[in-house]
Amino acid sequence: MEKTRPLWANPLQFVFACISYAVGLGNVWRFPYLCQMYGGGSFLVPYIIMLIVEGMPLLYLELAVGQRMRQGSIGAWRTISPYLSGVGIASVVVSFFLSMYYNVINAWAFWYLFHSFQDPLPWSVCPLNGNHTGYDEECEKASSTQYFWYRKTLNISPSLQENGGVQWEPALCLLLAWLVVYLCILRGTESTGKVVYFTASLPYCVLIIYLIRGLTLHGATNGLMYMFTPKMEQLANPKAWVNAATQIFFSLGLGFGSLIAFASYNEPSNNCQKHAIIVSLINSFTSIFASIVTFSIYGFKATFNYENCLKKVTLLLTNTFDLEDGFLTASNLEQVKGYLASAYPSKYSEVFPHIKNCSLESELDTAVQGTGLAFIVYTEAIKNMEVSQLWSVLYFFMLLMLGIGSMLGNTAAILTPLTDSKIISSHLPKEAISGLVCLVNCAIGMVFTMEAGNYWFDIFNDYAATLSLLLIVLVETIAVCYVYGLRRFESDLKAMTGRAVSWYWKVMWAGVSPLLIVSLFVFYLSDYILTGTLKYQAWDASQGQLVTKDYPAYALAVIGLLVASSTMCIPLVALGTFVLHHLKRGDAAPVA
Amino acid sequence: MAKADLSAAWIFFFLTLPCVFHPERMLWLLFFLVTAIHAELCQPGAANAFKVRLSIRTALGNKAYAWDTSEEYLFKAMVAFSMRKVPNREATEISHVLLCNVTQRVSFWFVVTDPSKNHTLPAVEVQTAIRMNKNRINGAFFLNDQTLEFLKIPSTLAPPMDPSVPIWIIIFGVIFCIVIVAITLLILSGIRQRRRKNKEPSEVDDAEDKCENMNTIENGIPCDPLDMKGGHINDAFMTEDERLTPL
């Protein structure tokens, strides 16, 4: 008797799973950065256009393929054309790389979450130096949040070459992160379907709480006004459009095979068009929502730092000229400075180099993305709020939910093809396969807990998924439209769901989206070639800031290997299938 | 220098007084000599002198008190108190502490003299004394290390609370155990479900074997119900028994 394919208990679980997968850390830490860099409010124009032109059609395509083929990525593409099963394999390889390094972020979130239960928060004060007369030197040069991130969490080495050993604290957190992921995927859709209710909805609860708190913070409006003021001239900047397209593309998680895997557990009659539109709209809405929260936090932090800077200047002047305490305020600072410059010129010129020019704009202009935003900038803002432990716990809990939700999708992309294959699933039960995958990923992930681990993390983050995904999705679109046949696909969908496919989708699939992806691909390649040698940011403990260094040769080799191992799958498998096919035909001919 | 001239003038004046005021004259002489020397002992930048800076309004805001001579007296008392804690200096009196150059900031310089009031105590001793009792001095003025500064005397910062077991390990341990227990439960229940499924097909197989003895089974469907459901035996077809000619 054939085992029936496990299904989602209801369509809501499928939608939640897709939302939980698509809404991830990128919405929180990449979109606000892009919005700030490319013109604030005016960035929304290219973003929404790209959503409608690129995001929705490609998402619908992947969901439709998965629902129609009812198999994981390898099986689905093999069904479309045996020469194209390389696409599925490439998807699995990329997902494997992604899950290796992505869970390290969850490990860091766990680390910060566990450390949030202390008073005062450990990243709010610098530790003391040896003889307790002052603060630790590295911490003084950088800030306490940067020190906690680079020294206490990562214990980062000065360069990629100095590997250091595996740090046991992040290693423990990584182990815990993998155990939690294993717990969620253990039973397949049965357990995943229940977990996604939480991982999809809880981040929104926390975001709403943070929105209310963020908007009521002192100085939040400064940030919001500055960031959202549209700078219309950025619309003419091609980089804005490219980045909007890239952000939509990667934010939806296309090409990893996770969406195909999730859709394969659907009832065939499920209305995936409606779900595709819902998921992509919710994903974009979450990005914009998260950026409102982020900008109000930025505004608070910038105002706080600006006022601190003013206080320092005031104190310096008060002490140097023995003015009455409380006489100098922010409002009369400039006047008094002028008076002092004229009345005591020699003394003033002595102290002048130390007087910093405090500017709110320059504080607001510091645009940060990625782990720096999540673990340094946000924690700096949190430590200045009242009841900072509560806000810290909420924030890192939200990061965890977002990260684990995305991990569920990543592991589903790897596990679904494995459990679909008859060879493996006949020998091992589902739990053992999931356990093995988690174990292998955890063991390899220990590389990222070494002292140079963060540098390897950056390599994986920047190069493991970017080029390969563009190629994979391009081949997918061409395969469905031209190899399988758009008309055939359209009639399949009509038979399956009972609804006709609108002309809009057909035009997008056949023409516009592939063109867009090709142009993105060309842009990326030219960017890599023009940049010359690849560089990375290393933390210099003696200066307390990041410095740029070149990658050593073996790191470049690893980068090349990462990109090649996924992209080469497609032509190699096609070639291999072609050769095998010819050999079989050669064998068959004499017999017939 | 002006003060030295003044004292010299006073000395000259009293030397000309009638000899009947000898003891008091000597006392006055001594007094002004002492004042002169005091004036020279406490000067900004003098050896063994320390500058103190208070930021009362920053610390207390509306509840700030004004800095007057009574507060200065309290300060002298606190310094004398700190010096008394140093071995060999238990005899320090409030009058041994000298303040000068009080500005509006509020900042001033102070020195501590020995009982003879001729020399100032070495800076190292004053430093150790103040460092040991900084908390008491801060408390007396409702200030803290940032708002009551002794320049050149770095304050010992309070060491952070270091619990024997870091808090994060406790929380980590709790969550780790919960996750392990949940995984074990899920795996065990999965194994139990699979064992039950394995038993069910074997029971179904037994039932099928029994059926076979009674009915033929074609394609998994027992023929028995097929025979019962409708259909008439067509007599036009010869039954199997009659095809074979009996012996």
Side-chain angles (χ1 to χ4, degrees):
Chain A
M1 264 210 325
E2 270 247 6
K3 229 189 335 179
T4 51
R5 191 174 184 77
L7 293 174
W8 298 110
N10 52 49
L12 196 64
Q13 279 189 358
F14 167 64
V15 176
F16 271 27
C18 289
I19 292 177
S20 168
Y21 168 67
V23 173
L25 294 165
N27 300 65
V28 171
W29 73 31
R30 174 96 176 133
F31 180 78
Y33 169 77
L34 288 177
C35 206
Q36 190 183 346
M37 293 290 284
Y38 294 109
S42 57
F43 183 72
L44 290 178
V45 171
Y47 187 70
I48 293 182
I49 291 180
M50 287 299 164
L51 171 69
I52 298 176
V53 162
E54 182 200 1
M56 286 190 203
L58 290 174
L59 183 63
Y60 182 26
L61 183 72
E62 287 224 355
L63 290 184
V65 167
Q67 192 169 307
R68 165 76 185 83
M69 304 302 165
R70 310 206 75 215
Q71 294 183 73
S73 50
I74 298 183
W77 296 109
R78 197 179 328 134
T79 315
I80 288 201
S81 159
Y83 292 110
L84 284 178
S85 45
V87 175
I89 298 178
S91 290
V92 173
V93 170
V94 173
S95 287
F96 185 68
F97 290 150
L98 183 75
S99 56
M100 255 199 279
Y101 79 82
Y102 201 84
N103 222 12
V104 180
I105 306 175
N106 288 334
W108 292 330
F110 267 122
W111 169 265
Y112 269 83
L113 179 67
F114 296 151
H115 277 88
S116 307
F117 291 95
Q118 292 172 7
D119 181 33
L121 289 173
W123 52 83
S124 59
V125 285
C126 275
L128 304 177
N129 61 12
N131 52 3
H132 285 205
T133 52
Y135 295 113
D136 184 281
E137 201 189 309
E138 189 182 347
C139 196
E140 286 273 282
K141 294 222 179 83
S143 64
S144 54
T145 45
Q146 280 180 314
Y147 176 79
F148 188 76
W149 170 243
Y150 285 111
R151 190 53 48 216
K152 291 284 173 169
T153 311
L154 300 173
N155 196 12
I156 206 163
S157 63
S159 74
L160 187 69
Q161 286 90 326
E162 292 153 60
N163 265 331
V166 171
Q167 317 287 314
W168 66 270
E169 296 105 336
L172 275 183
C173 292
L174 182 64
L175 183 67
L176 178 64
W178 274 112
L179 283 175
V180 170
V181 169
Y182 180 53
L183 176 65
C184 299
I185 60 173
L186 187 50
R187 287 289 200 80
T189 47
E190 191 189 314
S191 52
T192 312
K194 298 204 180 51
V195 172
V196 293
Y197 283 130
F198 297 105
T199 58
S201 50
L202 281 179
Y204 288 101
C205 295
V206 178
L207 272 177
I208 291 177
I209 297 176
Y210 254 91
L211 182 74
I212 301 174
R213 174 76 265 229
L215 288 177
T216 53
L217 283 172
H218 167 63
T221 37
N222 290 341
L224 282 173
M225 279 195 317
Y226 184 76
M227 310 293 184
F228 276 123
T229 322
K231 302 180 187 70
M232 285 300 175
E233 63 273 9
Q234 285 287 343
L235 280 178
N237 181 4
K239 275 204 165 190
W241 293 86
V242 169
N243 275 308
T246 321
Q247 173 62 13
I248 290 276
F249 190 87
F250 291 123
S251 173
L252 285 172
L254 304 163
F256 286 102
S258 316
L259 294 163
I260 297 182
F262 280 154
S264 68
Y265 297 118
N266 266 341
E267 300 270 352
S269 56
N270 183 43
N271 184 3
C272 52
Q273 175 186 301
K274 180 173 80 171
H275 291 154
I277 298 179
I278 292 177
V279 170
S280 49
L281 278 178
I282 290 185
N283 182 46
S284 296
F285 162 74
T286 311
S287 290
I288 299 174
F289 188 43
S291 63
I292 297 181
V293 176
T294 306
F295 290 156
S296 46
I297 302 270
Y298 267 160
F300 166 70
K301 178 181 101 70
T303 312
F304 189 85
N305 285 346
Y306 171 66
E307 285 175 359
N308 253 11
C309 177
L310 282 179
K311 274 196 207 137
K312 281 205 189 115
V313 173
T314 313
L315 193 65
L316 179 66
L317 286 175
T318 315
N319 285 344
T320 319
F321 294 100
D322 275 328
L323 304 166
E324 190 189 333
D325 182 31
F327 169 67
L328 258 185
T329 59
S331 41
N332 62 8
L333 183 63
E334 289 304 314
Q335 286 174 292
V336 175
K337 263 163 77 173
Y339 163 71
L340 288 171
S342 52
Y344 309 95
S346 53
K347 231 183 180 182
Y348 189 78
S349 53
E350 263 175 36
V351 90
F352 185 69
H354 301 290
I355 299 182
K356 275 195 262 184
N357 240 342
C358 299
S359 150
L360 188 59
E361 268 79 37
S362 63
E363 293 281 342
L364 284 169
D365 255 337
T366 51
V368 193
Q369 59 162 335
T371 49
L373 170 59
F375 294 108
I376 299 179
V377 171
Y378 256 94
T379 46
E380 198 180 316
I382 289 174
K383 77 176 201 279
N384 297 325
M385 295 187 199
E386 285 117 48
V387 202
S388 39
Q389 281 81 10
L390 171 68
W391 299 110
S392 179
V393 168
L394 272 179
Y395 172 65
F396 288 111
F397 186 66
M398 176 187 78
L399 279 192
L400 263 178
M401 289 290 110
L402 290 173
I404 291 186
S406 300
M407 277 305 293
L408 294 179
N410 292 335
T411 45
I414 306 173
L415 283 176
T416 309
L418 289 179
T419 47
D420 282 345
S421 111
K422 305 279 187 310
I423 319 163
I424 302 179
S425 60
S426 53
H427 287 290
L428 291 170
K430 195 168 45 182
E431 289 91 341
I433 303 178
S434 327
L436 265 176
V437 168
C438 290
L439 189 66
V440 169
N441 273 317
C442 188
I444 302 180
M446 289 295 163
V447 170
F448 302 111
T449 59
M450 294 195 301
E451 284 184 22
N454 195 38
Y455 302 130
W456 290 106
F457 176 85
D458 281 334
I459 287 182
F460 271 72
N461 196 19
D462 289 336
Y463 302 108
T466 38
L467 269 179
S468 332
L469 275 183
L470 287 170
L471 191 64
I472 290 174
V473 176
L474 180 65
V475 175
E476 281 184 6
T477 327
I478 294 178
V480 169
C481 292
Y482 300 109
V483 175
Y484 190 75
L486 189 55
R487 246 175 258 243
R488 188 170 153 203
F489 191 62
E490 182 196 356
S491 59
D492 278 349
L493 283 182
K494 191 160 179 197
M496 194 172 66
T497 62
R499 287 176 202 86
V501 176
S502 139
W503 61 269
Y504 175 73
W505 303 117
K506 289 189 273 190
V507 168
M508 290 297 137
W509 289 341
V512 180
S513 301
L515 279 175
L516 255 175
I517 301 176
V518 168
S519 54
L520 278 182
F521 196 71
V522 165
F523 169 79
Y524 260 99
L525 270 181
S526 58
D527 203 38
Y528 281 153
I529 295 170
L530 284 175
T531 327
T533 45
L534 299 168
K535 297 191 195 306
Y536 68 104
Q537 303 277 79
W539 176 254
D540 187 347
S542 55
Q543 289 180 42
Q545 60 182 27
L546 292 166
V547 293
T548 321
K549 288 197 178 158
D550 282 329
Y551 277 124
Y554 64 89
L556 292 172
V558 168
I559 295 178
L561 205 66
L562 275 177
V563 178
S565 53
S566 43
T567 46
M568 285 300 127
C569 281
I570 305 177
L572 281 178
V573 170
L575 195 65
T577 320
F578 184 70
V579 166
L580 276 173
H581 197 60
H582 264 254
L583 284 177
K584 271 202 202 137
R585 244 203 256 157
D587 282 340
V591 175
Chain B
M1 287 309 281
K3 285 210 174 115
D5 288 340
L6 205 61
S7 54
W10 277 111
I11 292 167
F12 181 68
F13 171 67
F14 279 110
L15 277 176
T16 57
L17 275 179
C19 296
V20 72
F21 292 115
H22 262 269
E24 280 135 24
R25 197 204 312 164
M26 297 308 288
L27 276 172
W28 278 116
L29 204 70
L30 218 60
F31 175 71
F32 283 111
L33 264 175
V34 164
T35 323
I37 294 169
H38 278 190
E40 280 164 14
L41 285 175
C42 176
Q43 276 193 11
N48 303 332
F50 292 93
K51 182 167 182 183
V52 183
R53 199 153 56 198
L54 285 87
S55 312
I56 308 176
R57 195 156 313 156
T58 316
L60 300 170
N62 289 337
K63 304 198 194 103
Y65 47 83
W67 185 260
D68 51 16
T69 42
S70 324
E71 305 284 344
E72 288 182 20
Y73 190 81
L74 176 60
F75 183 79
K76 290 190 207 175
M78 294 305 298
V79 174
F81 160 77
S82 312
M83 289 311 298
R84 282 180 170 230
K85 300 277 183 174
V86 176
N88 293 334
R89 298 290 174 202
E90 286 91 346
T92 316
E93 296 290 332
I94 294 184
S95 51
H96 296 161
V97 182
L98 308 172
L99 263 60
C100 50
N101 274 56
V102 185
T103 66
Q104 250 194 333
R105 167 66 181 84
V106 173
S107 70
F108 48 85
W109 290 79
F110 78 94
V111 286
V112 186
T113 61
D114 60 358
S116 70
K117 304 210 181 165
N118 285 330
H119 315 284
T120 51
L121 296 183
V124 184
E125 284 188 23
V126 181
Q127 241 189 13
T128 21
I130 300 282
R131 281 187 82 181
M132 281 199 314
N133 300 292
K134 190 65 166 36
N135 267 350
R136 301 286 291 273
I137 305 179
N138 285 350
F141 292 100
F142 300 132
L143 300 172
N144 59 28
D145 280 341
Q146 277 77 44
T147 41
L148 170 55
E149 298 166 84
F150 287 77
L151 303 182
K152 290 195 294 177
I153 305 183
S155 44
T156 315
L157 299 165
M161 261 204 340
D162 239 348
S164 50
V165 179
I167 300 181
W168 77 270
I169 290 201
I170 302 175
I171 306 176
F172 170 82
V174 167
I175 303 220
F176 191 80
C177 292
I178 294 178
V179 170
I180 297 268
V181 165
I183 290 179
T184 328
L185 283 176
L186 274 183
I187 293 183
L188 285 177
S189 74
I191 295 178
R192 214 176 301 140
Q193 261 184 7
R194 210 169 296 125
R195 254 190 233 141
R196 220 179 295 142
K197 264 200 217 147
N198 282 338
K199 274 198 213 139
E200 274 182 22
S202 60
E203 287 171 3
V204 172
D205 282 338
D206 288 339
E208 285 186 356
D209 282 334
K210 285 193 208 140
C211 276
E212 255 178 14
N213 296 333
M214 303 201 300
N215 321 318
T216 48
I217 294 189
E218 295 285 309
N219 297 331
I221 306 168
C223 289
D224 197 8
L226 276 182
D227 283 337
M228 305 297 269
K229 284 189 188 137
H232 299 281
I233 299 173
N234 193 343
D235 291 335
F237 285 88
M238 293 230 280
T239 54
E240 269 197 14
D241 297 330
E242 291 176 3
R243 198 189 289 171
L244 301 165
T245 41
L247 284 165

